[in-house]
Amino acid sequence: LKLMVREIVSYQRHSVWLDVIEGQRKHEAAQIVKDTHGGDAQHPGFLTNKALLDKLGMWEWVTQVLLFLFSNVGAILSTVVFLVLLSLPDIFDSDPAKQNALALLVFVSLLWATEALPLFVTAMLVPLLTVTLRVIVVDGHRLDATEASKHAFDAMFSHVIMLLIGGFTIAAALSKHNIVQAFASVIAVRCGSGIRTTVAVHLFLATFTSMWISNVAAPVLCYSLITPILKAATAGTTRAMFGATQREAVDHDRRLCKALVLGIALASNVGGMASPISSPQNLFAIEYATAGHPIGWIQWFTVSIPLCFVLDAIIWLWLIYCFDLPASAESAAVAHAIDRGKTELESFSVLQNFIMSVSIGVVGLWCASGSTEHFTGQMGVLGIVPFVIFFGSGVLSKEDLNNFLWSVVLLAMGGLLLGEAVKTSGLLDVIAEKIASFIEANDLSLWVALVIFDAMILFCTTFVSHTVGAI
């Protein structure tokens, strides 16, 4: 009883402090905090405070300058490469548009790869450089700054952006009103307390929730689902002193907790490919496939869902092997969490049923977009439907709109414009010809070329974000 009371007090105190810290961070995020040397929190003042420089002396000043250069080596290197590419003569038969487009592509890619600047800040450099470098070419005519700016902003706000905002809206409604969490809790409670079964169920839940509320927010939700299991396993460690059977049960719970934490992260990554709105790179694929061979939601699900099931099964088997999870054993921590969860289950309210109906209806329209295209146009138009309904009816508020991942939206806008600049300048055709000539010269088959490209993408996205790698 004493242990249980201690756990309750500790949990409640921890929750209160989390709320306090969250409020404090929101308050400080809107302020510029000055340091003691005359700079602000983001830009230290050692280079602007003359009195401090006088006190430090020349050697310390040189040291500070070197530290500044090393901390910004990514931005400096990217800028140097950018200027060199701009100054090199006759890279593409004296075509300035292609040469400038190559410099722009390499410069932005290096900034994204090194994260010298925030990703969304780099994305907003794309329209500025696209216009000033005049890389937009339409019908063989290199657009001037006025025409290029109009073309650039048209390319940035495509239907993909509205589709992305529509996905954020559905995710916010499902998350704010605990619909996904309630649905996941029902499944978790009804699937028993077997160790291997528990891991499999939570892998499926992580993948499923990632389909609809993004694979960034899904792990947070799923970790909240396993919190009772983790707490019960922690509180149950004192049972190890009562004999070999109890020690074995505690050891099973310990290994189960490790498998659950790692499995949710891996399964959420798998869920990021399950639907077009689960990750921004999926929307890029739909956008770039529109001109040639459009990809609809049904086609996407036909490929992605079986693949996700296979990958989840592989992850499940690998976790069983790595953590030696027994086949027939029951988890005392899971059983305790299930007993507690059964008392907390509630039926869905009218509002929750309304949100689910609208969300399912919009996803259905997205799946049938090929048949309704003559009436609704592009899929992005349908993204307006949940936005208007949920914000207009009060399901979501202005604060929820402010909490959208606008940095991802800006990153997507910059990525779309970068692709448009590379394509219209003619640089894309040149790159395609170089790749084709390389394949023909080395007599590579289609499958070998595919493996090479996949290896390059795998290597790049290991060190940079998936969204940047897709761009």
Side-chain angles (χ1 to χ4, degrees):
L1 180 60
K2 185 184 298 183
L3 178 64
M4 184 180 68
V5 172
R6 186 186 301 120
E7 287 290 327
I8 293 174
V9 172
S10 176
Y11 174 76
Q12 291 179 347
R13 182 174 57 201
H14 181 64
S15 301
V16 169
W17 274 110
L18 283 179
D19 293 338
V20 172
I21 292 172
E22 182 180 3
Q24 185 68 15
R25 283 176 177 171
K26 289 182 178 180
H27 174 71
E28 292 181 351
Q31 297 181 356
I32 298 178
V33 181
K34 295 290 183 180
D35 67 5
T36 57
H37 303 311
D40 57 58
Q42 298 297 324
H43 305 281
F46 60 79
L47 293 180
T48 58
N49 194 316
K50 186 176 183 303
L52 179 63
L53 294 180
D54 294 338
K55 292 180 181 179
L56 289 176
M58 181 57 68
W59 178 251
E60 287 80 0
W61 182 83
V62 171
T63 303
Q64 295 291 343
V65 171
L66 291 176
L67 289 175
F68 175 79
L69 293 177
F70 279 121
S71 62
N72 294 276
V73 64
I76 296 172
L77 175 63
S78 303
T79 304
V80 171
V81 173
F82 176 64
L83 295 176
V84 169
L85 289 175
L86 285 178
S87 61
L88 288 178
D90 302 336
I91 298 181
F92 295 115
D93 300 328
S94 302
D95 188 344
K98 294 177 184 177
Q99 181 172 348
N100 292 350
L102 177 63
L104 171 63
L105 176 63
V106 173
F107 178 57
V108 173
S109 300
L110 287 175
L111 286 178
W112 273 333
T114 59
E115 295 190 22
L117 299 175
L119 298 180
F120 62 92
V121 175
T122 302
M124 287 297 98
L125 282 176
V126 176
L128 174 63
L129 296 176
T130 298
V131 174
T132 55
L133 296 176
R134 297 181 59 194
V135 299
I136 303 294
V137 178
V138 178
D139 297 330
H141 171 62
R142 189 180 179 193
L143 301 184
D144 59 19
T146 303
E147 295 174 337
S149 61
K150 295 178 181 179
H151 190 94
F153 288 122
D154 288 341
M156 289 178 68
F157 197 86
S158 70
H159 75 102
V160 170
I161 301 301
M162 200 61 236
L163 184 63
L164 188 62
I165 294 176
F168 286 161
T169 304
I170 292 177
L174 294 176
S175 178
K176 179 179 180 179
H177 296 277
N178 299 321
I179 295 174
V180 176
Q181 185 174 7
F183 174 77
S185 299
V186 171
I187 295 179
V189 165
R190 295 182 179 179
C191 288
S193 58
I195 291 179
R196 292 187 177 182
T197 303
T198 300
V199 174
V201 168
H202 285 85
L203 288 178
F204 164 76
L205 291 176
T207 300
F208 179 78
T209 52
S210 296
M211 290 177 62
W212 311 113
I213 63 172
S214 87
N215 60 343
V216 177
V220 179
L221 184 146
C222 291
Y223 285 135
S224 69
L225 293 178
I226 67 171
T227 296
I229 299 176
L230 301 179
K231 289 181 60 180
T234 302
T237 53
T238 53
R239 291 178 292 143
M241 67 182 66
F242 295 108
T245 303
Q246 286 77 10
R247 282 196 296 271
E248 183 179 5
V250 170
D251 181 63
H252 288 169
D253 288 343
R254 179 180 58 82
R255 283 182 278 152
L256 171 63
C257 292
K258 292 182 179 179
L260 285 176
V261 171
L262 183 59
I264 286 175
L266 297 177
S268 297
N269 283 326
V270 173
M273 69 179 78
S275 76
I277 62 174
S278 56
S279 291
Q281 57 264 28
N282 302 346
L283 297 177
F284 290 134
I286 290 179
E287 170 69 11
Y288 289 118
T290 301
H293 304 280
I295 299 176
W297 280 59
I298 296 297
Q299 292 173 300
W300 189 283
F301 286 144
T302 303
V303 175
S304 66
I305 291 181
L307 179 61
C308 289
F309 274 115
V310 172
L311 292 177
D312 278 346
I314 293 174
I315 293 173
W316 180 63
L317 293 174
W318 184 246
L319 291 175
I320 290 175
Y321 171 77
C322 290
F323 296 102
D324 192 21
L325 302 179
S328 58
E330 300 276 325
S331 170
V334 175
H336 174 77
I338 289 176
D339 292 337
R340 181 178 178 182
K342 287 180 179 178
T343 62
E344 297 177 353
L345 289 180
E346 298 178 358
S347 59
F348 285 108
S349 64
V350 176
L351 178 60
Q352 289 175 321
N353 287 320
F354 169 72
I355 295 173
M356 285 193 296
S357 300
V358 173
S359 302
I360 293 174
V362 171
V363 172
L365 289 175
W366 277 333
C367 293
S369 59
S371 302
T372 61
E373 188 175 3
H374 65 282
F375 178 71
T376 59
Q378 294 177 311
M379 284 190 292
V381 176
L382 296 173
I384 301 175
V385 176
F387 188 89
V388 172
I389 293 178
F390 289 152
F391 282 101
S393 62
V395 173
L396 297 176
S397 63
K398 185 174 66 175
E399 286 72 20
D400 298 312
L401 181 64
N402 294 336
N403 291 329
F404 278 11
L405 294 176
W406 292 110
S407 60
V408 175
V409 175
L410 295 177
L411 179 60
M413 294 170 70
L416 291 173
L417 178 56
L418 182 62
E420 181 70 10
V422 172
K423 181 174 66 174
T424 60
S425 65
L427 177 63
L428 185 62
D429 296 332
V430 174
I431 295 176
E433 292 174 0
K434 297 292 184 182
I435 293 175
S437 61
F438 173 79
I439 292 175
E440 292 176 359
N442 294 274
D443 195 22
L444 300 179
S445 65
L446 174 64
W447 293 107
V448 174
L450 180 63
V451 169
I452 292 175
F453 276 105
D454 286 346
M456 290 171 56
I457 296 170
L458 177 63
F459 177 79
C460 293
T461 53
T462 301
F463 302 101
V464 300
S465 73
H466 294 172
T467 303
V468 172
I471 295 173

